[in-house]
Structure formats: structure tokens, C-alpha cells
Amino acid sequence: MDVQEILWQYGQGNRDFSRLDLQNINIIQAELMEANLSRTALDWANLSGTNLNRANLNRADLMHAKLISAQLIEADLIGADLSDADLSWVNLEGAKLTYANLSNANLKQAILTNVDFKSANLSGANLVGVKLNGANLSRADLSKANLSGIDLTGANLSRVDLSRANLNGADLSGANLYKADLSRSNLRNGDLQGAILQGSNLHKANLKGANLSGAQLKESNLNLANLSEMSLQAGRLSSQIDLSSASLVGANLSAAILKNANLGYALLHQTYLIEVNLKGANLIDVSLMGADLRGTKFRNSSLCRINFTETIMPDGSVHP
């Protein structure tokens, strides 16, 4: 079936184009709203500017397809293959993309508000400048994805894979990152105010200059992470940070502001805490074995049952 036949049939009221072979088809700026294209082969197709609002593209093959500036509001793309597709400037507001394959897809400047990406594969995808407010990304694979400057305010990212992802300057305030994998990710200068990071993996993550005001990092893995110059800037959320029972072995917290932080039962072996502000912090049952505390301030902190073995104290002396 060629382009003219599809458009003619659509004009006559036919909406069913499912299971067709439409590889390499060129349908630019067409009207295909609510069309049924489920399981249709559209790989390498050009659908740029086409209106596919509320279309059924369930399990469709859209590998390498061009969907630049296409309208896919509330479209059904469950299980669709969009790997290596160009979705720049596309509008996917409210679309269903659960279990979809978007690996290495270009989603630059796309509108992804309230999209359901649960268990979708977005590894290596370009998501620079996208709008993801209210999106569901739980259990999605975003490893190595470029999310620089992205707005993920309040997004559901529980158990998401963001390992090695670029989140430089990203807004993750209020996001749910429960048990998320953020190992080796770049979160430099990111806004994580009030984010839920309980049980998350931040091994070797770069959080330099990040705002973690009110973040919940209880039982998280921050071993060898860079938290230098981390701040608890005053904002709309509580400034207290929960690091209780967290593992910070070998982490760099130099010049971090941890006023009133909860570090109870945390593991801080060989951690760099140089020039850290720990005023009013909870340090009950903390292990600081081999940590470097030069210049650190403990005023009004709760210091009880602390392991200072071989610790470099604030005055530079080494505890026996």
C-alpha cells in the first residue's frame, strides 16, 4: 500500500492499517489521528510533522524512523521499537511507552509530560532539553543517557537504571529514586531537594556542588562518590539530609555543608571530610575509621559511640 492509498482510505473513514509493511514510507505532515498502526512495519519511515494523536502503534516497528515534530499525544506505543529513531521536537504528552525500546533514540526538545515509560529501554538516548514532568520512569533503563539540564521534578524513577548517565545540572527535586542505580552517573550541580534516594546506588557518582537539601539517602551506597561542595541550600524543602545507615566509604565530602544532617549508623571509613560543616549533625554510632576530618566543624553535633580509629582529627592529629 502506497502513501496515496493510505491517505485516500483514511479520508474515507478507514482507520485500520495494522500489520502492514510500510518500510521506508514517506508520510510527512499527514493527518492520521486515531489510526490503528499496531504491529505495522514502519522502520526507516519518515513521519515528520504527522498528526498521530491517540494513534495505536502498539508493538509497531519504528526503528530508525523520522518522527521530527510529530504529534503523538496520548498515543499507544506499548512495546514499540523506536531504537535509533529521531523523535526530536515530538509531542508525546500522555503517551504510553511501557516496555518500548528507545535505545539511542534522539528525543531532543521532546514534550514527554505525563508519559508512562515504565520498564522502557532508553539506554543511550538523547534527552537534552526535554519536558518530563510527572513522567513514570520506574524500572526504565536510562543507562548512559544524556539528560543534561533535564527537568524531572517529582518524576517516578524508582528502581530506574541511570548508571553512567549524564545528569549535569538536572532538576530532580522531589523525584522518587528509591533503589535507583546511579552508579558512576554525573549529577554535578544537580538539584535533588527532597528527592527520595533511599537504598539507591550512587557508587562513584559525581555529586559535586549538588543541592541535597531534604534528600532521603538512608541506606544508600555512596562509596567513592564525589560529594565535595555539596550544599543544603535554603529552599522550599527541609534543609536536613538523611544519610543514616548510608555507606560512604572513600567518598569525598570536602567542603560539604551537612548542617543538621542525620548520619546515624553511617559508614565513613577513609572518607574525606575536610572543612565540612557538621554543625548540629547526628553522628551517633558512626564509624569514622581512617577518615580525614581536618578543619571539620562539630559544633552542637550529637557525638556518641563513634569509631575514631586512625582518624585524622580536625586539628590534624591522628587518633590512635
Side-chain angles (χ1 to χ4, degrees), residues 182-198:
L182 289 147
S183 56
R184 299 177 186 268
S185 62
N186 178 16
L187 285 153
R188 186 165 180 164
N189 299 317
D191 189 349
L192 290 130
Q193 287 190 76
I196 299 170
L197 288 150
Q198 183 175 345

Side-chain angles (χ1 to χ4, degrees), residues 268-283:
L268 293 151
H269 290 183
Q270 299 177 333
T271 302
Y272 294 92
L273 289 153
I274 302 167
E275 305 272 333
V276 174
N277 187 342
L278 283 163
K279 291 180 179 179
N282 173 18
L283 293 158

Side-chain angles (χ1 to χ4, degrees), residues 4 14 25 47 103 126 136 148 197 216 239-240 269 284:
Q4 288 74 23
N14 180 25
I25 200 163
L47 295 155
S103 56
N126 181 5
N136 179 11
S148 179
L197 288 150
Q216 299 175 37
S239 62
Q240 187 178 30
H269 290 183
I284 296 174

Side-chain angles (χ1 to χ4, degrees), residues 123-309:
S123 58
N126 181 5
L127 290 146
V128 174
V130 304
K131 296 178 182 178
L132 267 163
N133 311 69
N136 179 11
L137 287 149
S138 62
R139 299 182 184 273
D141 183 355
L142 284 152
S143 56
K144 299 181 182 179
N146 186 357
L147 296 140
S148 179
I150 197 170
D151 184 352
L152 283 162
T153 308
N156 182 3
L157 293 151
S158 61
R159 301 179 189 272
V160 71
D161 184 355
L162 281 160
S163 56
R164 299 178 185 269
N166 181 13
L167 289 149
N168 183 41
D171 189 349
L172 289 152
S173 54
N176 180 6
L177 287 148
Y178 176 76
K179 290 194 174 181
D181 186 356
L182 289 147
S183 56
R184 299 177 186 268
S185 62
N186 178 16
L187 285 153
R188 186 165 180 164
N189 299 317
D191 189 349
L192 290 130
Q193 287 190 76
I196 299 170
L197 288 150
Q198 183 175 345
S200 60
N201 181 10
L202 286 147
H203 177 73
K204 288 190 175 182
N206 184 2
L207 288 144
K208 185 175 182 179
N211 183 4
L212 286 153
S213 173
Q216 299 175 37
L217 283 148
K218 184 178 180 179
E219 300 171 353
S220 59
N221 176 7
L222 285 149
N223 295 341
L224 300 173
N226 182 2
L227 290 146
S228 59
E229 301 175 24
M230 182 191 74
S231 68
L232 299 178
Q233 300 167 17
R236 58 190 181 279
L237 302 169
S238 169
S239 62
Q240 187 178 30
I241 181 173
D242 188 356
L243 284 158
S244 57
S245 301
S247 181
L248 291 134
V249 176
N252 181 7
L253 286 99
S254 299
I257 300 172
L258 287 165
K259 290 174 65 177
N260 304 314
N262 182 6
L263 285 152
Y265 301 95
L267 197 61
L268 293 151
H269 290 183
Q270 299 177 333
T271 302
Y272 294 92
L273 289 153
I274 302 167
E275 305 272 333
V276 174
N277 187 342
L278 283 163
K279 291 180 179 179
N282 173 18
L283 293 158
I284 296 174
D285 281 300
V286 170
S287 180
L288 287 159
M289 185 185 296
D292 192 337
L293 300 170
R294 284 175 292 174
T296 293
K297 300 172 184 177
F298 287 101
R299 185 179 176 183
N300 298 323
S301 296
S302 299
L303 301 165
C304 184
R305 298 186 299 275
I306 296 178
N307 182 357
F308 282 117
T309 305

